Amino acid sequence: MRVSTFASLAALLLSGATEGCAIAVSCRCMPGDSCWPTTNEWNTFNATVGGNLIATVPIGSPCHDPTYDEAACTALQNSWTSPMTHLYHPSSFMQNYFTNRSCDPFTDRATPCELGNYVSFAVAVQNKQHVVSTVKFAREHNIRLVVKHTGHDYFGRSTGAGGLSIFTQGLGGISFSTFKDKYYSGRSMTIGAGVIGYDILKAADENNAVVVTGESATVGLAGGYTQGGGHSALSTAFGLAADQTLSFEVVTAKGEIVTASRTKNEDLYWALSGGGGGNYGVVTSMTVRAHDNLKVGGASFILYPTLLPADQYKQAVETLFSYLPKFADQGVMIVFAIRSNYLAVRNFMIYNSTAERAEEILAPFVADLKTIGITLNPTYSTLSYYDHYATYMGPIPAGILPIGDTQVGGQLLPKTVLETNPKAYANTILEIVSAGGGVIFSVADYSPPDDKVSNSVLPQWRTAVSQVNVLATYDPKGTVEAMETALSTITNTYMPKLKAAVPDSYAYVNEADIQEANWQKTFYGSNYAKLQAIKLKYDCEGLFYTYKGVGSEKWATSTTGRLCATR
Ligand SMILES: Cc1cc2nc3c(=O)[nH]c(=O)nc-3n(C[C@H](O)[C@H](O)[C@H](O)COP(=O)(O)OP(=O)(O)OC[C@H]3O[C@@H](n4cnc5c(N)ncnc54)[C@H](O)[C@@H]3O)c2cc1C
């Protein structure tokens, strides 16, 4: 009932908004097509972007003839699963699966290095006029347009075969100020869209402020992270990243520079604040809330199942799950991971607090574990937010999470599920872990910071107590088939277990199963129809296609990666 109402509303809005707007092309042009720009046209375009056009040389090229370089190849192989390796490269990205191993550092050097799903060209834009020129060139020549900030996206949305990419890292600048409108009055930070999380952590600390950024310091702020919602170690204190937005500067599909805020182009502001990355325009700068740099109380601990009787460990996990809603209610944000050989609470954090308060909140849990025979000795600290981040989520910038060896699924876990039957959910997770999976929890109170916030964050965040990430790892040196097997495990084994535990299941658009069939409802929920109408208003021809982004059902990629309109 709920879904059919949603579908018919979407259809209604779509039919109204499409009037006078039809996708004029059948397919995007690819290299080798007669419609692909000539060398002269590329050269002329390059002059309009300050000579910053880069023809893609895939990152894996030193590992293949005729450009084989043994030392460079070995260095690349050794650092392949570090985010730092791909972060600064104009065309590389972190979700290995989407490379299709077309120029892989681990395949034989005689295997040709091909562009495959890498973009054909990137523009390392240095200012907003470069963005305008690139948007106009892509539109005029019917080329697939891509935006890359950090390349973190699990859905491969920062790449695309035959694409022209806007690589945003040259859009710098961080400043702190105050902002006032009728919805918010207080400290603010303005950044260029190319600024990355670790730079913001440092600049905020130097300006005696804190800002909501990801738990991984190499994630960006203005791109997919904030535009998709964005959870943070500061979420219990201040909400999601999308709740922090005050104003965006955006280049639209027409190549116009506009402001989107609560008072100008409000619909675009609403969509950019949670409605999915890269889908409505290119953000060139953004102003967000900044908060006082107060001390934080922290804790961490680890349980090793191999050192405990199975039943004791199971009870400990069930007990932890029963406490999660209470922790969030008391101002805590927690990141923890479960694998077959550990349960690690890496980050237990309370903003504007102390080690003593962290110990006080954990005390009943520690006492309960004692009654089942487990002595837990967490470490506690009182630190600045920056030092806490470096200690519990660092090292800054790289962090400890490898990339490019994992397929991911996800679910927003409703608080009521843990309040009513924490044991059942804990046992679902233990089943996934015993089947070889890993699970990461980002536990917080995800309610908005105040009742004036209005944005397109999936409403189910507000009643969730955790973002849950299930992981199926594969050998990054292995085959495409191994990646496919891991993906199948996510879709066909782990996700059905999670969905059975939470019948009406929703997911965070940035950390979800890429094969989710019912994605419009699962990622965007009741916001989908309104987002679709805004998409049509600002980008009716679908220049900003993103995989499983709003409106993307009108497009499909062929086996060669060519993007074609389907209707
Ligand atoms: C190791 C790791 C840790 C993570 N940790 C967290 C976390 O703590 N919290 C969390 O919420 N998420 C986290 N994520 C998920 C993260 O939010 C998404 O991967 C997100 O898409 C990253 O955004 P990005 O702009 O940095 O990445 P990119 O891959 O560069 O871009 C992602 C999307 O945003 C678009 N985009 C980028 N810049 C712009 C722009 N200026 N204008 C318009 N569109 C743009 C791109 O086109 C693409 O569609 C993590 C992911 C990984 C791999």
Side-chain angles (χ1 to χ4, degrees):
M1 177 61 195
R2 183 189 184 126
V3 174
S4 62
T5 307
F6 151 83
S8 53
L9 178 60
L12 190 71
L13 280 171
L14 185 63
S15 61
T18 37
E19 269 169 40
C21 173
I23 294 172
V25 298
S26 54
C27 291
R28 296 289 179 218
C29 297
M30 294 276 281
D33 291 348
S34 59
C35 57
W36 189 251
T38 62
T39 304
N40 269 350
E41 285 170 325
W42 282 112
N43 288 340
T44 306
F45 166 57
N46 193 16
T48 70
V49 292
N52 289 296
L53 180 68
I54 302 165
T56 297
V57 176
I59 192 169
S61 66
C63 296
H64 296 273
D65 291 328
T67 48
Y68 185 79
D69 172 336
E70 188 177 354
C73 178
T74 304
L76 183 66
Q77 288 173 337
N78 291 339
S79 63
W80 187 244
T81 57
S82 165
M84 306 312 287
T85 302
H86 308 272
L87 187 65
Y88 307 117
H89 191 281
S91 59
S92 194
F93 51 91
M94 302 186 196
Q95 184 48 310
N96 210 3
Y97 177 61
F98 289 96
T99 65
N100 208 19
R101 306 196 83 209
S102 70
C103 185
D104 191 287
F106 300 106
T107 50
D108 190 85
R109 65 180 274 186
T111 308
C113 168
E114 290 171 349
L115 278 183
N117 200 32
Y118 288 109
V119 294
S120 292
F121 287 92
V123 181
V125 295
Q126 302 300 310
N127 57 51
K128 55 193 170 189
Q129 286 308 330
H130 293 168
V131 177
V132 170
S133 297
T134 310
V135 165
K136 287 185 172 168
F137 186 80
R139 209 184 60 215
E140 202 178 307
H141 292 275
N142 185 27
I143 298 172
R144 179 172 180 177
L145 186 66
V146 169
V147 185
K148 177 193 166 178
H149 180 197
T150 65
H152 262 282
D153 199 87
Y154 282 119
F155 282 56
R157 296 180 184 113
S158 32
T159 192
L164 169 61
S165 174
I166 295 173
F167 179 45
T168 60
Q169 285 180 27
L171 301 175
I174 310 180
S175 61
F176 287 81
S177 185
T178 53
F179 186 95
K180 188 169 169 44
D181 65 12
K182 64 179 171 178
Y183 305 100
Y184 174 77
S185 174
R187 300 187 73 184
S188 64
M189 178 192 72
T190 299
I191 52 157
V195 177
I196 299 173
Y198 58 81
D199 279 330
I200 295 167
L201 286 166
K202 186 161 175 285
D205 191 55
E206 286 165 1
N207 284 275
N208 208 17
V210 296
V211 173
V212 169
T213 60
E215 295 128 37
S216 173
T218 52
V219 170
L221 188 69
Y225 170 74
T226 294
Q227 292 176 40
H231 59 82
S232 166
L234 290 167
S235 283
T236 296
F238 304 115
L240 293 161
D243 297 330
Q244 315 303 310
T245 60
L246 299 170
S247 179
F248 297 91
E249 184 183 69
V250 190
V251 175
T252 65
K254 287 184 185 153
E256 292 166 353
I257 300 171
V258 301
T259 297
S261 69
R262 291 298 295 275
T263 51
K264 279 187 196 154
N265 298 306
E266 300 93 307
D267 49 1
L268 184 57
Y269 164 87
W270 186 85
L272 287 168
S273 304
N279 211 33
Y280 309 95
V282 185
V283 171
T284 50
S285 72
M286 179 171 87
T287 300
V288 295
R289 299 179 186 211
H291 308 278
D292 292 339
N293 191 10
L294 305 177
K295 295 277 186 217
V296 302
S300 67
F301 59 85
I302 190 158
L303 288 168
Y304 294 104
T306 44
L307 302 180
L308 296 169
D311 197 49
Q312 226 178 29
Y313 178 68
K314 181 170 168 303
Q315 280 185 60
V317 176
E318 290 169 355
T319 307
L320 176 63
F321 277 78
S322 73
Y323 270 91
L324 296 177
K326 295 174 221 164
F327 290 151
D329 286 347
Q330 291 175 92
V332 183
M333 194 281 165
I334 309 161
V335 179
F336 72 97
I338 310 186
R339 286 202 179 264
S340 60
N341 53 346
Y342 62 80
L343 184 161
V345 174
R346 284 189 62 216
N347 174 45
F348 183 100
M349 191 192 103
I350 319 154
Y351 173 76
N352 188 17
S353 193
T354 60
E356 291 70 31
R357 178 67 183 138
E359 191 166 358
E360 191 177 78
I361 292 173
L362 268 174
F365 170 68
V366 172
D368 279 358
L369 287 203
K370 191 98 191 152
T371 64
I372 56 174
I374 298 174
T375 304
L376 195 67
N377 290 307
T379 55
Y380 297 101
S381 59
T382 307
L383 293 167
S384 70
Y385 180 63
Y386 185 88
D387 289 341
H388 176 96
Y389 195 111
T391 307
Y392 294 88
M393 292 168 276
I396 296 172
I400 58 161
L401 278 184
I403 51 88
D405 66 347
T406 312
Q407 300 286 12
V408 169
Q411 175 178 69
L412 292 177
L413 171 59
K415 193 176 180 190
T416 50
V417 168
L418 293 193
E419 284 170 341
T420 49
N421 198 346
K423 277 189 184 178
Y425 198 80
N427 284 299
T428 297
I429 297 305
L430 288 174
E431 266 178 46
I432 291 172
V433 170
S434 66
V439 192
I440 300 179
F441 291 81
S442 296
V443 177
D445 173 352
Y446 289 109
S447 50
D450 58 58
D451 59 8
K452 292 185 186 146
V453 165
S454 171
N455 58 34
S456 54
V457 162
L458 175 67
Q460 280 67 24
W461 270 107
R462 307 311 189 182
T463 48
V465 71
S466 186
Q467 144 63 16
V468 181
N469 244 7
V470 278
L471 316 172
T473 46
Y474 54 82
D475 179 359
K477 303 186 197 74
T479 57
V480 171
E481 289 70 32
M483 298 181 194
E484 297 283 4
T485 302
L487 184 57
S488 169
T489 303
I490 290 287
T491 307
N492 302 316
T493 307
Y494 300 163
M495 286 310 301
K497 287 185 194 299
L498 289 184
K499 287 179 179 177
V502 179
D504 192 21
S505 183
Y506 292 80
Y508 174 30
V509 64
N510 284 344
E511 295 179 327
D513 177 8
I514 59 172
Q515 300 193 108
E516 170 60 50
N518 194 9
W519 57 268
Q520 290 94 334
K521 179 243 174 192
T522 306
F523 301 161
Y524 307 95
S526 57
N527 289 331
Y528 195 77
K530 186 172 169 187
L531 285 168
Q532 208 172 19
I534 295 169
K535 169 77 176 170
L536 286 168
K537 176 175 169 189
Y538 287 93
D539 182 25
C540 74
E541 293 189 349
L543 186 68
F544 300 114
Y545 163 85
T546 58
Y547 181 64
K548 298 203 166 160
V550 170
S552 63
E553 54 280 269
K554 292 182 185 168
W555 297 89
T557 44
S558 72
T559 46
T560 60
R562 184 192 292 276
L563 186 64
C564 291
T566 55
R567 53 180 105 148

